[in-house]
């Protein structure tokens, strides 16, 4: 009887630990993707303050990079270092957290390469498509896609619908939005780690330029 009780207690303890880890993982992902979603405001800023926004993005990139280097050397920058620590994933522990760098680079590249409306499509695809795909995949994903390092069918479908809606809001073309959404979904499912932050907005902006 004691062995049975001990096993039950151990099982409950392990389940509790798993649930706590899952909850912490979801909260971390929610915090990270909130930052992702905030990039959706950039096209509005670019519309009225183009070069000022570009300069601010470059300044943010440089400031963040310096703060990360200092953080790794044990010198924290108030607020910035703390936000990085909270948002960092398991694979980023004790490393330079590259996600914010590629996020800003992707936004800058799309803004400089393409016309404002095409750049907006690319930035929205990054903000809503890539941003929501990971969050919904963690929350509701049950079917994992082979050879994608854990990506789920739910996450991919979320990416598709988010990109379709955001692209249609800009271009008002169902066909173009469909093509762009399919492309973004296929790119998002490729396990590129943080590089998809650059590839998605640039590629979507390029496709919008070609198709419209």
């Amino acid at each position: 009887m004691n062995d049975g009780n001990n096993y039950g207690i151990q099982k409950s303890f392990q389940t509790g630990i798993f649930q706590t880890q899952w909850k912490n993982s979801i909260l971390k992902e929610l915090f990270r993707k909130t930052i992702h979603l905030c990039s959706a405001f950039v096209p509005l800023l670019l519309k009225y303050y183009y070069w000022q926004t570009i300069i601010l993005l470059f300044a943010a990139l440089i400031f963040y990079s310096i703060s990360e280097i200092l953080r790794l050397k044990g010198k924290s920058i108030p607020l910035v270092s703390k936000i990085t620590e909270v948002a960092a994933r398991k694979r980023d522990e004790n490393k330079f957290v590259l996600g914010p760098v590629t996020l800003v680079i992707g936004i800058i590249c799309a803004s400089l390469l393409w016309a404002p409306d095409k750049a907006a499509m690319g930035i929205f695809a990054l903000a809503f498509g890539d941003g929501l795909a990971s969050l919904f995949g963690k929350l509701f994903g049950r079917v994992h896609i082979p050879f994608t390092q854990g990506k789920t069918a739910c996450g991919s479908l979320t990416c598709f619908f988010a990109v379709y809606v955001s692209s249609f809001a800009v271009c008002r073309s169902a066909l173009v939005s469909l093509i762009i959404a399919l492309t973004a979904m296929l790119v998002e499912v490729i396990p590129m780690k943080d590089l998809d932050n650059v590839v998605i907005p640039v590629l979507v902006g390029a496709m919008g330029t070609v198709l419209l």
Side-chain angles (χ1 to χ4, degrees), residues 113-182:
L113 287 171
W114 315 124
D117 57 333
K118 313 307 188 298
M121 292 170 67
I123 295 170
F124 288 156
L126 176 62
F128 299 117
D130 188 48
L132 294 176
S134 179
L135 182 60
F136 276 68
K138 281 187 175 294
L139 283 171
F140 308 110
R142 296 295 180 268
V143 180
H144 292 269
I145 302 172
F147 312 112
T148 61
Q149 297 181 7
K151 302 211 173 177
T152 66
C154 177
S156 294
L157 289 173
T158 299
C159 177
F160 171 82
F161 285 112
V163 175
Y164 180 85
V165 171
S166 62
S167 296
F168 185 79
V170 176
C171 71
R172 300 296 177 179
S173 169
L175 179 59
V176 171
S177 300
L178 177 64
I179 295 171
I180 287 175
L182 285 170

Side-chain angles (χ1 to χ4, degrees), residues 12-204:
S12 297
F13 181 69
Q14 290 174 343
T15 302
I17 292 176
F18 175 78
Q19 289 176 342
T20 300
Q21 289 176 337
W22 183 83
K23 181 179 179 181
N24 290 338
S25 174
I26 293 300
L27 290 174
K28 185 182 289 288
E29 195 67 22
L30 180 60
F31 183 76
R32 289 182 61 253
K33 295 313 175 182
T34 298
I35 298 173
H36 232 73
L37 291 169
C38 285
S39 62
F41 290 105
V42 173
L44 180 63
L45 295 174
L46 288 169
K47 183 177 180 179
Y48 297 104
Y49 309 101
Y50 182 82
W51 284 112
Q52 294 94 324
T53 302
I54 295 295
I55 291 169
L56 282 174
L57 288 170
F58 270 112
L61 180 62
I62 294 169
F63 179 71
Y64 172 80
S65 298
I66 292 172
S67 70
E68 267 298 88
I69 292 170
L70 292 175
R71 184 180 68 84
L72 292 175
K73 291 183 177 181
K75 300 177 182 178
S76 295
I77 302 296
L79 187 61
V80 178
S81 296
K82 186 62 179 177
I83 290 175
T84 303
E85 290 175 7
V86 172
R89 290 166 290 194
K90 188 73 176 176
R91 74 183 190 210
D92 295 322
E93 288 182 1
N94 302 316
K95 296 179 182 178
F96 188 106
V97 180
L98 199 58
V101 172
T102 55
L103 179 72
V104 175
I105 289 176
I107 292 171
I108 291 174
C109 288
S111 302
L112 293 175
L113 287 171
W114 315 124
D117 57 333
K118 313 307 188 298
M121 292 170 67
I123 295 170
F124 288 156
L126 176 62
F128 299 117
D130 188 48
L132 294 176
S134 179
L135 182 60
F136 276 68
K138 281 187 175 294
L139 283 171
F140 308 110
R142 296 295 180 268
V143 180
H144 292 269
I145 302 172
F147 312 112
T148 61
Q149 297 181 7
K151 302 211 173 177
T152 66
C154 177
S156 294
L157 289 173
T158 299
C159 177
F160 171 82
F161 285 112
V163 175
Y164 180 85
V165 171
S166 62
S167 296
F168 185 79
V170 176
C171 71
R172 300 296 177 179
S173 169
L175 179 59
V176 171
S177 300
L178 177 64
I179 295 171
I180 287 175
L182 285 170
T183 303
M185 181 182 70
L186 292 174
V187 171
E188 191 277 333
V189 83
I190 299 172
M192 292 187 289
K193 295 185 178 180
D194 293 314
L195 286 179
D196 58 354
N197 288 342
V198 178
V199 176
I200 288 175
V202 172
L203 180 60
V204 168

